[in-house]
Amino acid sequence: MIKAVLTVIGSDRVGIIAAVSNMLAEADVNILDISQTTMDEIFTMTMLVDVTSVKGGFAPLAANLAALGDEMGLRIRLQHVDIFNAMHKI
Amino acid sequence: MFISTDEIAQTVKMIQQEHLDIRTVTMGINLLSCVRGDIQATCQAVYDKITHTARNLVSVCCEIETELGIPIVNKRISVTPVGMIAPHDIDGCVALARTLDRAAAETGVNFIGGYSALVHKGYTVSEKTLVESLPYALLETQKVCTSVNVGTSKAGINMDAVRDMGILIKKAAELSAETGGASCARLVVFANAPEDNPFMAGAFHGVGEPECVINVGVSGPGVVKCAIEAVRGQDFTVLAETIKKTAFKITRMGQLVAKLASERLGVPFGIVDLSLAPTPAVGDSVARIIEEMGVGHCGAPGTTAALALLNDAVKKGGLMASSHVGGLSGAFIPVSEDEGMIEAVQKGSLCIEKLEAMTCVCSVGLDMIVVPGDTSASTISAIIADEAAIGMVNHKTTAVRIIPAPGKKVGDVVEFGGLLGSGPVMPVRQYEKDSSSFIARGGRIPAPMQSLKN
């Protein structure tokens, strides 16, 4: 399984999770875990997703999510899980 | 979740707000196999080898950048010091430089390094020709980086080469007067040059290296500064520990990128260079780390001690994070490329003499220093000799990248653009008598003692 981490940072509003999960579902990406917090009025959502059989490839999905973020005034980033493992696990 | 939300947030913040990036993925390529009977055939072989070997370098780096979500700012190539394969005429040497430039453009890399000569004990005919061709090679290329190693701890300092480099740096500046002497930003004079350095302008593919290799340089002054903001007022043990932990995390990024690039390109992984490399962007400055430690202005008393602690802690933290460490590995202090250094020069707290002291305890040396255009060749040579002596005696790499900007005076600012930034013209001490008689002696300064250290 190839895992990736999706982070959404910005001001809270209606429909963030809906919009993001729709886009993921269309790309055949399964959500494995999800957590969200609001720190200092900044909405932070973190999702662990399975990108093994992502439709259309990883890079286009990452770009579409980033564009969705721009539309909604949020920062949405999809990053391979390796970068977090490398930094935080020995 | 297997990684905590806080950890994820920390990584994302480092990249988005604190300028964490991979400064460079540099592919080293051996050119010794490209020597042919005539220069045209050699140029063709060099072009073919580089464009074939590095054909996927940029695309693979972009792929890794997208997947990991971390910018890889530069993709570069370093080659065997061209002085080893250069012909015995200047035109032939310049033709090789143009070939490297074309190969760099074709592969899409930002810079290509290795138009270099290792002359610490003396010149070969090829190397002498290459060194004399430097001002013309720089003028006719955009991406070619050049370096000359004039001294080592084992061989001493080749003062003939030091004298020549003063003259050639002046010449290179005059030929590129329209851009403020910008050619000199791609010319470094080294002592104890490392063979596996991924950073420009001093990268070359040393003779002890394999056929092809991937070396990675990390960055991250902004991340270190933000980390130590959290321990303001606490003692030096806490400060050093905080820097070590941060350096570990930064270096792990470099190690991961190096591993992926090496696997995908089918090229062995060489080293991760643990340098803290600043950029002209606000929030990505080494000077600001020193100031955050509590030194009022970079260059003020305390600066050398602060830099020594920073440099040491970065190495200690980084060492465990990477399987192989090499290159320059230390904090860089390039004046024009560091927003805090530029301000320190303009405020008068940072001068060439203080920078020289700082180079005793950190990576490289007098880097991206702009001096008045009327600084004499022998004065530049004398500055190079001082810096080379520090490297030679202390068994470390030192370098000089100095720009005598034609027509510019102290107080002027020269714009280089991009990562090279903008350099305020710094004063060089002038006295009634200069050091030209010292430089005119020529010959070699003998190698220093290896024992009786004091």
Side-chain angles (χ1 to χ4, degrees):
Chain A
M1 190 188 293
I2 305 169
K3 292 179 188 171
V5 172
L6 185 142
T7 48
V8 182
I9 300 168
S11 314
D12 200 7
R13 54 174 282 184
V14 173
I16 297 179
I17 295 185
V20 171
S21 8
N22 262 335
M23 193 170 270
L24 293 175
E26 279 167 22
D28 265 346
V29 171
N30 188 29
I31 299 170
L32 303 169
D33 200 348
I34 179 165
S35 95
Q36 72 166 74
T37 51
T38 306
M39 286 185 292
D40 300 331
E41 291 172 22
I42 304 287
F43 172 81
T44 313
M45 181 178 76
T46 315
M47 273 183 184
L48 184 68
V49 297
D50 174 6
V51 290
T52 315
S53 48
V54 54
K55 222 192 292 172
F58 184 93
L61 176 63
N64 288 343
L65 284 162
L68 174 70
D70 292 342
E71 248 170 63
M72 301 179 75
L74 302 161
R75 294 191 83 139
I76 305 185
R77 293 288 177 272
L78 185 66
Q79 292 166 278
H80 206 285
V81 77
D82 283 353
I83 188 169
F84 302 98
N85 277 332
M87 188 178 272
H88 299 287
K89 302 277 177 248
I90 297 179
Chain B
M1 219 175 258
F2 59 107
I3 308 169
S4 76
T5 317
D6 285 350
E7 288 170 338
I8 290 172
Q10 186 187 45
T11 305
V12 171
K13 185 166 164 254
M14 281 184 187
I15 296 169
Q16 291 184 359
Q17 290 169 28
E18 297 167 4
H19 304 279
L20 175 60
D21 57 45
I22 302 298
R23 179 52 49 84
T24 179
V25 173
T26 303
M27 177 183 268
I29 302 173
N30 167 40
L31 291 187
L32 289 177
S33 58
C34 300
V35 182
R36 302 287 184 272
D38 70 275
I39 185 63
Q40 276 168 335
T42 301
C43 284
Q44 190 59 46
V46 165
Y47 181 82
D48 291 345
K49 180 151 189 186
I50 295 172
T51 51
H52 177 76
T53 314
R55 64 194 182 284
N56 295 328
L57 176 64
V58 172
S59 60
V60 163
C61 287
C62 291
E63 199 178 280
I64 296 171
E65 221 173 359
T66 310
E67 278 175 32
L68 298 182
I70 187 166
I72 300 174
V73 181
N74 280 285
K75 295 88 182 170
R76 298 167 172 170
I77 294 171
S78 64
V79 297
T80 305
V82 174
M84 300 179 78
I85 63 165
H88 295 178
D89 65 294
I90 289 182
D91 290 344
C93 286
V94 174
L96 267 171
R98 281 197 301 261
T99 303
L100 294 179
D101 212 36
R102 276 198 301 130
E106 173 62 26
T107 49
V109 294
N110 307 88
F111 282 118
I112 185 163
Y115 194 79
S116 308
L118 311 179
V119 299
H120 35 275
K121 217 161 179 185
Y123 289 117
T124 63
V125 179
S126 295
E127 285 163 346
K128 177 77 176 160
T129 318
L130 179 118
V131 167
E132 283 174 356
S133 78
L134 283 170
Y136 310 100
L138 287 164
L139 185 67
E140 296 208 12
T141 58
Q142 271 86 49
K143 293 170 188 276
V144 174
C145 290
T146 67
S147 55
V148 178
N149 193 59
V150 297
T152 67
S153 298
K154 287 200 167 165
I157 302 173
N158 177 355
M159 290 299 288
D160 291 329
V162 169
R163 179 197 58 219
D164 294 346
M165 288 317 296
I167 296 165
L168 292 164
I169 286 172
K170 284 285 283 184
K171 179 85 182 168
E174 281 156 18
L175 291 181
S176 60
E178 271 179 31
T179 49
S183 276
C184 299
R186 289 183 284 127
L187 170 55
V188 192
V189 186
F190 271 118
N192 290 327
E195 297 201 325
D196 51 6
N197 161 29
F199 286 102
M200 296 297 174
F204 62 84
H205 185 70
V207 285
E209 296 288 303
E211 185 68 19
C212 185
V213 72
I214 288 291
N215 296 322
V216 169
V218 297
S219 176
V223 181
V224 173
K225 179 174 178 291
C226 291
I228 65 171
E229 276 171 13
V231 295
R232 207 172 276 175
Q234 300 193 46
D235 75 9
F236 287 110
T237 308
V238 176
L239 183 61
E241 285 301 309
T242 307
I243 297 170
K244 274 160 67 178
K245 285 178 194 162
T246 312
F248 176 84
K249 290 176 182 172
I250 294 171
T251 311
R252 291 283 277 189
M253 297 295 93
Q255 171 75 16
L256 173 64
V257 168
K259 180 173 158 275
L260 291 175
S262 150
E263 277 169 13
R264 292 182 191 183
L265 290 162
V267 170
F269 157 59
I271 55 98
V272 173
D273 188 317
L274 305 179
S275 294
L276 277 188
T279 68
V282 173
D284 207 16
S285 153
V286 170
R288 298 297 182 206
I289 299 177
I290 289 166
E291 291 172 359
E292 177 57 42
M293 285 184 182
V295 176
H297 292 289
C298 183
T303 301
T304 311
L307 189 58
L309 181 149
L310 171 67
N311 202 49
D312 185 63
V314 165
K315 285 182 201 170
K316 285 174 178 163
L319 271 174
M320 192 183 150
S322 173
S323 47
H324 298 283
V325 171
L328 294 165
S329 285
F332 289 170
I333 49 170
V335 174
S336 76
E337 300 174 13
D338 186 308
E339 162 271 325
M341 297 267 172
I342 295 171
E343 194 191 282
V345 169
Q346 285 167 338
K347 278 193 174 150
S349 65
L350 190 60
C351 61
I352 291 181
E353 290 74 16
K354 186 63 184 179
L355 280 162
E356 191 179 315
M358 290 158 73
T359 66
C360 299
V361 299
C362 82
S363 185
V364 198
L366 294 175
D367 198 11
M368 290 303 287
I369 310 279
V370 187
V371 295
D374 59 5
T375 309
S376 70
S378 62
T379 300
I380 290 173
S381 293
I383 291 172
I384 294 170
D386 282 345
E387 203 53 41
I390 290 172
M392 173 182 77
V393 170
N394 294 301
H395 300 264
K396 74 186 288 295
T397 305
T398 50
V400 173
R401 186 159 49 144
I402 191 166
I403 300 115
K408 301 288 181 187
K409 301 262 174 296
V410 173
D412 293 346
V413 175
V414 182
E415 291 291 335
F416 299 111
L419 282 181
L420 295 172
S422 61
V425 180
M426 300 179 74
V428 176
R429 290 196 191 199
Q430 304 277 5
Y431 304 99
E432 241 172 77
K433 282 170 136 184
D434 64 12
S435 307
S436 51
S437 306
F438 180 71
I439 296 304
R441 286 174 181 270
R444 287 190 281 148
I445 293 182
M449 294 280 294
Q450 305 289 332
S451 60
L452 303 177
K453 296 224 164 201
N454 264 312

